[in-house]
Amino acid sequence: MQSPASNVALVRAAPSGGETAKSPDSDLEDQDSAATILQEHVPASAAGIRLDKVLAQLFPQFSRSRLKAWCEAGMVHMGGKPAAPRSKARAMAEVTLQVPPDPEAAAFSPEPVPLAVVWEDEQLVVIDKPAGLVVHPAAGNWTGTLLNGVLERFPETAGVPRAGIVHRLDKDTSGLLVVARTLAAQTDLVRQLQARSMGRQYLALGWGELAQAITVDAAIGRHPRDRLRMAVVPSGKPSRTHLIPLAVLHTAHGSITALRCRLETGRTHQIRVHAQHAGLPLLGDALYGRRGAPLLSLQRQALHAAVLRLTHPTSKRVLRFESPVAGDIVAQWQALGGDIRVLDTRDWGESDGLA
């Protein structure tokens, strides 16, 4: 679809109900069957010593704490029977260790994770991500991620770093992101990000009132005391976000502003941190939200990647993608008395009148 009087191809994603893509349930029996079984015999010199200490001698490739945990979990047998860490080792007894599969080993494995693909060709894929879907495997989310789904649906991305993922969205942020299917496409798209020529615009709902558009130009780095959070810190990386008010609601809970957010940089949690810094913490944001905020129906931060604009790596044609604001954010805005038309992102241009 091409916009009038332009050379910009426009693609609109199907409206989203805001539901989370479901990953396959893990099967504990399958995990057990995939375990590695190691066997050793207790040397005579170790007879009578606590088993957890002997395990460290028999299996030095594993830490003592890990061996103890496996022992407590019933994954260590001595003489064919489960053995506790404090058990006394018996000379020449056979010790069997069941090593569970490393979750990190499955992190880059294909999985049938549902993906809402709004554009695909030989070079790239644009996906409309639902809230709740993790983009990249990490501690606590080694499987069932968007990356696993990309590897399943587009196997060639296994040969591209990070399975071709060019930029990420937080788990509880919905909307558009681009994935490269070739190394050349990924290189080109990453360069567009670095040159700030890739347009990314978000719809957000923030506590507080913003009367006119502002630019938040504040370096972002790791929070000095809470490693799970980012913060505006002097030693951080340069970060710039444009915040443009669309409408303000005056509710019984306080003022709420619907925001159009345009990124120039792409730091971790950038919009959430900059919105908080500007006195506009996002609704539903567990990390950066308003302290003592009233309980609302929205169960995640009110942030949606609505518009993505990029230059195609090979055709050099400008592509613009639009994703209707997720249903849970729309429902919350309406429940607060807001006009749904405010959340229509179709007329958002690339310029916002800010330098």
Side-chain angles (χ1 to χ4, degrees), residues 227-313:
R227 304 304 294 173
L228 295 178
R229 303 174 64 191
M230 307 300 287
V232 170
V233 291
S235 60
K237 296 180 179 179
S239 309
R240 204 170 200 220
T241 308
H242 302 295
L243 301 177
I244 304 96
L246 301 172
V248 177
L249 293 180
H250 299 289
T251 76
H253 307 300
S255 297
I256 296 172
T257 302
L259 297 164
R260 171 185 164 200
C261 311
R262 185 168 68 81
L263 288 177
E264 284 200 26
T265 53
R267 310 304 178 199
T268 301
H269 300 173
Q270 178 172 320
I271 291 176
R272 299 163 66 189
V273 172
H274 275 176
Q276 180 198 46
H277 185 68
L280 298 160
L282 301 190
L283 273 64
D285 194 332
L287 273 181
Y288 307 101
R290 189 179 103 184
R291 290 185 179 181
L295 206 58
L296 301 176
S297 61
L298 190 65
Q299 298 299 304
R300 49 98 173 196
Q301 64 258 16
L303 186 61
H304 180 80
V307 177
L308 174 66
R309 189 176 189 271
L310 56 88
T311 301
H312 193 277

Side-chain angles (χ1 to χ4, degrees), residues 3-147:
S3 59
S6 74
N7 191 35
V8 179
L10 174 62
V11 180
R12 293 195 178 103
S16 167
E19 296 183 357
T20 301
K22 303 296 182 183
S23 60
D25 292 334
S26 59
D27 188 328
L28 296 180
E29 292 184 1
D30 287 348
Q31 290 182 10
D32 290 343
S33 65
T36 300
I37 305 300
L38 302 178
Q39 294 178 327
E40 293 288 349
H41 287 84
V42 177
S45 60
I49 299 176
R50 279 177 50 138
L51 184 59
D52 56 354
K53 294 182 178 180
V54 176
L55 290 174
Q57 299 175 24
L58 299 178
F59 308 103
Q61 65 270 45
F62 304 113
S63 69
R64 190 166 174 176
S65 61
R66 180 172 290 190
L67 288 166
K68 182 179 180 180
W70 288 340
C71 200
E72 292 171 340
M75 304 176 78
V76 175
H77 289 66
M78 183 169 59
K81 296 181 179 180
R86 293 177 176 272
S87 301
K88 301 300 182 182
R90 300 194 303 272
M92 302 312 295
E94 182 181 74
V95 175
T96 301
L97 171 64
Q98 182 180 345
V99 181
D102 187 345
E104 295 186 44
F108 289 85
S109 299
E111 291 182 53
V113 177
L115 300 175
V117 175
V118 300
W119 172 282
E120 65 175 284
D121 60 26
E122 294 180 352
Q123 299 297 319
L124 59 86
V125 179
V126 175
I127 296 171
D128 196 2
K129 187 189 85 68
L133 179 61
V134 174
V135 171
H136 197 279
N141 294 283
W142 292 118
T143 61
T145 69
L146 182 140
L147 180 145

